[in-house]
Amino acid sequence: MEAGLRPGRANFELFLLPDRVPYTRTVEIPYLPGKPVVGPNPLARFLPPLEESTVAQAIEHFEMGGQLVLDPFGASPRLALEAAQQGCSVLVAVNNPITRHVLRHTLDPFTLDELQSALSRLAALAKDGGRLEPFLLDLYQTVCSRCGQRVSAEYFVWDREENVPVLKFYACPHCNHTIEEPTNSEDRRRSLEYGAKGLQHATALEQLAPRGSPDRVHAEAAVSVYPGRAVYAIMTLLNKLQQPELGERIEAARALLLVSLDQTNALWGYPEGRIRPLQLSASPRYVESNAWKAMEQAVGQWSGIESGVELVEWAGEASLRPGVVTLFEGPVRELAKGLSGGRVERILTVIPRPNQAYWTLSALWAAWLWGREAAGPVRAALRRRRYDWAWHADALRTTLRAMRPALSDGVRVVGLMPDAEPGFLAAALAGFDGAGFRLTGRALRPGEGQAILTWEWEGGTGELASLVQLAQMMKQAAQEALTLRGEPSSYELAHQAAWSELASRRLLARAQGSESRTPLGTLAEEFDQVLADRAVFEHLGKGAEPETGRYWLTEPTEVSLPLADRVEGLVLGILREQERIPAVELDRRLCEVLPGLLTPDRRLVMAVLRSYAFPESGGAFWNLRSEDRGEARQADRTEILGLLAGLGNRLGFEVGGTDPIRWADRADEPQFSFWVDETARLSTAMRRQLEQSEPGRSSMIELVVIPGGRAALVAEKSRRDPLLQAWQESAPRVIKFRHVRRLAEDTTLDRQNLLDRLVLDPPGHEDPQLPLL
């Protein structure tokens, strides 16, 4: 068995960092992976995609259990829930009335009975001589193309330019015909009956901004993202919310309607959709969902089990208790005035990213659900059409400075960023720096846009450096990150390495802009110029834009083992140690050993797992395959080496060595070298061959022999590494164990057809047959 692949944690150091002093001053902290949230949740496309248990891990890792924890932005209801469940006294400021509503009913969820009762009462309300439910379903009526019966469509797909629905989807209850198909003339005619100038549309505007209001034009822009039929259905439902028949179920009814408000606007693109829309604009093709069916589906989104966490309204510091969430309805700057000096020592928050779509819709929804005054806290969002990163950095800085009197001198901040794209990350770093905080820790999961950052209060205005000095620091930080990862990496990775280095040195707050550019914009341009220096960095892959492709060092020296190969070795070591392990536990162990900018992406981890293990319990647990146990692979390796030696002798080569095994001709010039490996560590093999290749020996062919089960992992590593992909495509590089076995049995094999036969079963091929003749 090869060194580094024996079971046990003692082997992990073989895959860690080289013995060197890194340039960066930032502490590399472990990323805290959670479990992706399963199933739909209310407003999930607008709320931060925070994974389950990430907050609980943060509480434990940063030793916050039982302490007062302030969430100044209140962007994630899940954060407050998990922090309180860990025994923290959670104080959260939530200015957005829609986010507050979700928070309240995350901590105190509706029961299934309450939601079904609310839906039933709404359905039974009178409307035009009948019941409300069939009235609303009839708005989306179409005809089944199989049986000719009338049916209520699940949704219509609109073409924005043609301004008509072009597709429809329905499940016919009469003949069980389920299909998405083109609309007909009657479908299009019915959809246009609900124009944008009717009474319902005027009512929708009036509830947010009456005639004469300076916000009227902005309200019209907000309402315009709803098709006319959706506005008609929504206003009909809103009018019924005041009916006494709803009684104590009115809050549950509002919750159901809120989901319908989210589902029926034109921000749902077709076919893929905008998973997280940021701008309030209709997609070129969008889905118009059935308003009543959306409410039916909302029952499953809101219902839940008791959280065990109490929610109380802010009534001064006496309301703060361990295991309880205290809610302040308003901005944190107002909350800070009611806290005693230095009261807050720990801040745990999901750093909010600007979202013009959600903030504008929040104002609209709040006015519709609770009245015009309820939209007051977020009404300003109506007037701003775009939010740039400089604006966001300034907003964060202003908010954090306003909190300062309530913060202790030793306050520590843990910021979770579940959607940390480069511009957002830069704005967050600049905002905290400008407010007097020094960055102390970082972790980034590239490819998934997830980051964790930590800060400590320092005060002052930061350090001053010239643009030339800042560029030099960014270059060195990006070089160091690539050297430590040991493989080509994304723009996102290099960007965080550079910007976090400046933040750790307090160099962002006083960065200078130009007449036409903000400081953030100037630094962003300078960083792109740094990466464009081809004497230092190679830009690999397609696309001229800096954000595309991968970056590598033009002259790599003393680089670490490739990260992908380290991950493979670690996963194999863990599996051979335990044989059966929960996927989440394995991911956490990897993130502990490979912290900070070394955090492996989940796609790579899963590719390695699938190569060596098989899942059970729906993928919650993974078991080492019997053929990948150490003893089995050692036996395979011994067998393959023996077969190669016998095959070489049979073909008339002089055979020597064992790692690699070499075939030479009678003149003792090597013709073939075979490296037998149980892993897919081809990047390591590529470097080894390049370093050990001898001038003047162009006739030597070097091949890596691996198990066929590594083929998918080889493909994933090649996708991540353009250099590895190019190396594999330049010549025959890899053959499989099974192919060696077949060649050894092939009686027609000779030196003349050897090269052709060697390449018959490259990685990715399933099970080719050798030619019979």
Side-chain angles (χ1 to χ4, degrees), residues 178-198:
T178 300
I179 191 172
E180 181 181 83
E181 61 185 10
T183 55
N184 55 38
S185 58
E186 178 63 14
D187 295 325
R188 293 189 285 274
R189 185 195 65 77
R190 285 177 57 85
S191 71
L192 298 177
E193 289 179 354
Y194 310 95
K197 301 301 180 183

Side-chain angles (χ1 to χ4, degrees), residues 137-149:
L137 289 174
D138 188 59
L139 298 180
Y140 302 89
Q141 185 184 104
T142 186
V143 174
C144 176
S145 59
R146 173 183 286 176
C147 68
Q149 294 291 319

Side-chain angles (χ1 to χ4, degrees), residues 252-304:
R254 284 195 177 107
L256 296 175
L257 181 52
L258 176 58
V259 171
S260 188
L261 297 180
D262 179 33
Q263 294 287 321
T264 54
N265 58 57
L267 271 60
W268 293 92
Y270 178 90
E272 297 85 5
R274 286 182 288 172
I275 297 175
R276 298 185 62 75
L278 300 173
Q279 292 298 125
L280 196 70
S281 59
S283 299
R285 279 200 168 191
Y286 62 85
V287 175
E288 177 200 9
S289 292
N290 184 311
W292 181 262
K293 290 183 179 290
M295 293 181 67
E296 292 177 334
Q297 295 164 4
V299 170
Q301 296 185 31
W302 283 111
S303 63

Side-chain angles (χ1 to χ4, degrees), residues 78 91 128 189 288 337 345 369 427 433 552 586 654 691:
R78 178 172 294 280
L91 177 57
D128 290 359
R189 185 195 65 77
E288 177 200 9
K337 297 174 184 178
E345 296 183 351
L369 290 171
D433 192 343
W552 186 232
L586 183 137
E654 290 186 359
E691 291 169 0

Side-chain angles (χ1 to χ4, degrees), residues 365-484:
W365 296 341
W368 283 352
L369 290 171
W370 298 293
R372 196 177 302 151
E373 290 185 3
V378 288
R379 183 177 295 276
L382 290 170
R383 304 170 197 134
R384 180 174 284 273
R385 307 309 299 166
R386 302 192 68 85
Y387 297 85
D388 59 35
W389 297 123
W391 176 92
H392 195 52
D394 186 62
L396 288 172
R397 179 173 57 249
T398 301
T399 299
L400 292 164
R401 283 179 176 175
M403 292 163 46
R404 178 65 192 114
L407 307 182
S408 73
D409 290 339
V411 65
R412 296 182 180 180
V413 181
V414 177
L416 308 176
M417 300 184 71
D419 47 3
E421 69 171 83
F424 180 25
L425 186 93
L429 292 171
F432 273 85
D433 192 343
F437 291 85
R438 181 185 293 277
L439 183 73
T440 57
R442 67 183 178 190
L444 175 71
R445 186 152 233 183
E448 297 169 47
Q450 299 172 332
I452 300 175
L453 303 173
T454 62
W455 290 269
E456 292 182 1
W457 166 255
E458 184 179 85
T461 58
E463 304 296 329
L464 184 63
S466 68
L467 193 58
V468 172
Q469 291 173 313
L470 295 174
Q472 179 64 19
M473 291 181 198
M474 289 192 288
K475 180 181 75 173
Q476 289 179 288
Q479 284 178 294
E480 181 71 22
L482 293 174
T483 298
L484 292 177

